[in-house]
Amino acid sequence: GMQSLQFAANFPSRYDRFVSIAATAQTSPATVALRSVQRSAVRTDPNYKGGSYETGKGPSQGMAVARMFGTICYRSPEEFTERFDWYPTVTGDDISFEVERYLQYQASKFVHKVNYDANCYLLLSKGMDMMDIGAGTPSFEDGAKRITQDKQGLLLSYSTDRLTPPQDLERLSEVLGRHGVSVHYEVLQSQFGHDAFLIESQALDLNMRLKAFLETDENTYGGHGVHNVRALEKELLLD
């Protein structure tokens, strides 16, 4: 999502439509705060060694904690409240909650199966924090206005996304709208947070809008791009 927005601003002659899903055109301080905790977990692991760890002997505990915290950020309280048992499991002297075991499972899978390199993880995390469509221009608005008036955009957020909340793309939509760019901005309802676009049960709402926006046959909805998505919206309201 961030890459598509940056490409749209940097190379306006190379496309006619762009899509961004659950993303931001400028990372907010709140999102930076969340990711900074993950990076701290990695860096404070003794095995991180300032980034000079040996292959196979990296900061696995720090990466596990970062993944657990990331999983919390990628999903939503609404999902956790409904999905997991509210009552603890007692096994001998051990007392644990289902949600704790889920987070531990995700951490173990990330560390032992995915085996993500810690330095790559930190670099990618910081790179996402540095996202700013206005970088190299006088302001955020100047950067966004490099997307020219002959373009069309589809900006989709999710209602429970706390990593990149809806107001991030709403801000961009307002700037582009003032600049005369045809944009459809919408908040899709989902209890699955930032990861909603990855979940099969949530695919229909997303795929319908993508198909309409990218449709090349004008006979399908009577137009193309934003026109098609808005025609689809009217159909859904009638249903």
Side-chain angles (χ1 to χ4, degrees), residues 56-68:
K57 297 181 181 180
S60 57
Q61 187 57 42
M63 290 290 283
V65 173
R67 180 58 176 172
M68 291 170 73

Side-chain angles (χ1 to χ4, degrees), residues 12-16 18 147-153 181-182:
S13 65
R14 299 181 64 178
Y15 68 94
D16 59 0
F18 65 94
I147 299 174
T148 52
Q149 295 177 353
D150 58 328
K151 310 305 178 188
Q152 296 194 62
V181 179
S182 181

Side-chain angles (χ1 to χ4, degrees), residues 158-173:
Y158 285 97
S159 57
T160 55
D161 188 345
R162 53 183 170 183
L163 186 65
T164 49
Q167 56 262 35
D168 284 12
L169 285 183
E170 182 180 23
R171 177 191 181 201
L172 177 63
S173 174

Side-chain angles (χ1 to χ4, degrees), residues 35-222:
R35 291 204 189 99
S36 71
V37 174
Q38 294 175 287
R39 293 193 293 270
S40 292
V42 176
R43 291 195 180 103
T44 54
D45 186 320
N47 287 334
Y48 180 62
K49 298 181 179 179
S52 299
Y53 48 84
E54 296 179 36
T55 301
K57 297 181 181 180
S60 57
Q61 187 57 42
M63 290 290 283
V65 173
R67 180 58 176 172
M68 291 170 73
F69 187 73
T71 301
I72 296 169
C73 297
Y74 302 147
R75 309 307 276 254
S76 76
E78 291 85 347
E79 180 196 0
F80 280 16
T81 295
E82 182 176 316
R83 177 176 179 178
F84 297 111
D85 193 344
W86 283 47
Y87 298 96
T89 298
V90 180
T91 306
D93 294 332
D94 182 64
I95 301 174
S96 66
F97 286 86
E98 183 184 12
V99 68
E100 290 181 292
R101 297 191 295 275
Y102 170 76
L103 292 175
Q104 290 161 2
Y105 165 76
Q106 292 296 331
S108 178
K109 184 171 67 171
F110 186 67
V111 170
H112 300 296
K113 292 185 179 180
V114 178
N115 196 26
Y116 211 105
D117 179 75
N119 282 328
C120 288
Y121 178 86
L122 294 175
L123 185 61
L124 179 61
S125 174
K126 180 63 75 172
M128 289 189 289
D129 281 355
M130 295 297 291
M131 173 61 191
D132 179 5
I133 204 170
T137 71
S139 68
F140 175 87
E141 187 156 345
D142 286 313
K145 282 162 53 175
R146 291 179 294 168
I147 299 174
T148 52
Q149 295 177 353
D150 58 328
K151 310 305 178 188
Q152 296 194 62
L154 178 63
L155 305 177
L156 299 174
S157 296
Y158 285 97
S159 57
T160 55
D161 188 345
R162 53 183 170 183
L163 186 65
T164 49
Q167 56 262 35
D168 284 12
L169 285 183
E170 182 180 23
R171 177 191 181 201
L172 177 63
S173 174
E174 290 173 352
V175 168
L176 293 176
R178 289 196 298 270
H179 180 48
V181 179
S182 181
V183 175
H184 178 80
Y185 164 72
E186 186 177 355
V187 179
L188 303 182
Q189 300 301 308
S190 174
Q191 69 170 5
F192 294 103
H194 181 75
D195 273 359
F197 69 98
L198 299 172
I199 296 173
E200 187 174 358
S201 65
Q202 306 299 293
L204 182 60
D205 283 347
L206 175 60
N207 290 344
M208 285 193 301
R209 288 160 176 81
L210 288 174
K211 184 177 185 300
F213 183 71
L214 298 173
E215 177 63 65
T216 57
D217 184 356
E218 293 192 4
N219 294 321
T220 304
Y221 292 99

